Amino acid sequence: MANRRLPDENGGPSMKHTELQIRLPEHPERIDQDSEYCLVLLDGEWQQIRFHDYHRIFAIPGLYEQLFHDILDCRSPDVVGKLLKEQVQRDNVVASSLRVLDLGAGNGLVGEQLRTVGAGSLVGVDIIPEARDAARRDRPEVYDAYHVADLTALSEQETRTLHGYGFNTLSCVAALGYGDIPPAAFRAAYNLVSDGGWIAFTIKDRFLGDEDTSGFARLINRCQEAGVLEVRSSERYRHRLNICGEPLYYVALVGVKHADIPAGLVP
């Protein structure tokens, strides 16, 4: 293992924490993105942390930004923000009218970008409390509210509360396809948005292809065929680098919701 910094062309996020010592595998095997890991020096000991163990990552101030943005050069928040802004401007929509549900909100990096776009109302939802705690710690000014909830098992009170926000925009960045947010949870969030609202999300390119096993390729295709979702803009882009320094490609999509997703469309 060696401390290694990969290129950072776009610069990092605004929050600053004490710099951590992070090591990536020195001679990494080619492993799936879901199994990637690093070592972090904490209290004098090197601890191995899997990238998708978000409860551990968010509990360490600054780790998410330093690992994914400074070292691995994540670009997803910027890309989806740019595409959404372009479509909103094209339709002459006032950005401050956007009432956004940020699904898989994490510690607020995407929310921060949506505020830059001009979103007037922003509510974060994540399934782990460590994400909410990290957002409150790192970006307390970004969200108007933040809920820890499993969208596939909402209580009646949670359902009423979320419907009460009157969402007209859904954002979900780099959280689909690996089981963190399954198709059923995406459907639940989608159906909280009013008809005519904006849908902006990113997903790994292979989860939209013939080899997809996550169910998202079938779901997105069915939604378009049924007229439930009208995709206005899509862009394949480099999400970030993997631990070998190779690009990981995602697709960003921005569209308009025309109707709720029926349960029958979810694989």
Side-chain angles (χ1 to χ4, degrees), residues 7 11 24 26-27 31 36 83 105 114 148 152 161 167 182 188 193 196 204-205 209-210 212 214 236 245 250 267:
L24 298 179
E26 190 170 89
H27 302 292
I31 58 178
E36 290 185 313
L83 290 184
L114 293 169
V148 176
T152 65
T161 298
F167 296 120
V193 175
K204 189 173 178 64
D205 56 358
D210 294 337
D212 173 53
S214 72
R236 185 175 183 267
Y250 274 49

Side-chain angles (χ1 to χ4, degrees), residues 54-60 105-108 124-138 146-150:
Y54 292 115
H55 66 288
R56 297 187 65 193
I57 287 178
F58 287 136
I60 303 170
N107 70 339
V125 172
D126 207 296
I127 199 168
I128 58 173
E130 291 86 355
R132 178 193 57 194
D133 295 344
R136 289 175 173 174
R137 176 193 68 212
D138 298 340
Y146 198 119
H147 297 274
V148 176
D150 179 352

Side-chain angles (χ1 to χ4, degrees), residues 140-160:
E141 76 289 349
V142 165
Y143 293 104
D144 299 298
Y146 198 119
H147 297 274
V148 176
D150 179 352
L151 293 184
T152 65
L154 291 175
S155 67
E156 290 185 8
Q157 180 58 53
E158 287 173 326
T159 300
R160 284 194 299 268

Side-chain angles (χ1 to χ4, degrees), residues 79-173:
V79 171
V80 78
K82 173 183 71 73
L83 290 184
L84 178 60
K85 183 177 181 179
E86 289 173 353
Q87 292 304 312
V88 166
Q89 290 179 338
R90 187 169 299 171
D91 275 20
N92 295 315
V93 173
V94 178
S96 61
S97 70
L98 300 181
R99 299 183 300 278
V100 185
L101 166 57
D102 186 18
L103 177 63
N107 70 339
L109 270 170
V110 175
E112 188 173 60
Q113 184 64 36
L114 293 169
R115 287 297 191 190
T116 300
V117 170
S121 173
L122 186 59
V123 175
V125 172
D126 207 296
I127 199 168
I128 58 173
E130 291 86 355
R132 178 193 57 194
D133 295 344
R136 289 175 173 174
R137 176 193 68 212
D138 298 340
R139 296 173 178 83
E141 76 289 349
V142 165
Y143 293 104
D144 299 298
Y146 198 119
H147 297 274
V148 176
D150 179 352
L151 293 184
T152 65
L154 291 175
S155 67
E156 290 185 8
Q157 180 58 53
E158 287 173 326
T159 300
R160 284 194 299 268
T161 298
L162 291 174
H163 273 293
Y165 291 112
F167 296 120
N168 60 16
T169 305
L170 171 66
S171 64
C172 187
V173 175

Side-chain angles (χ1 to χ4, degrees), residues 250-261:
Y250 274 49
V251 176
L253 298 99
V254 174
V256 175
K257 172 187 174 180
H258 290 303
D260 284 356
I261 300 176

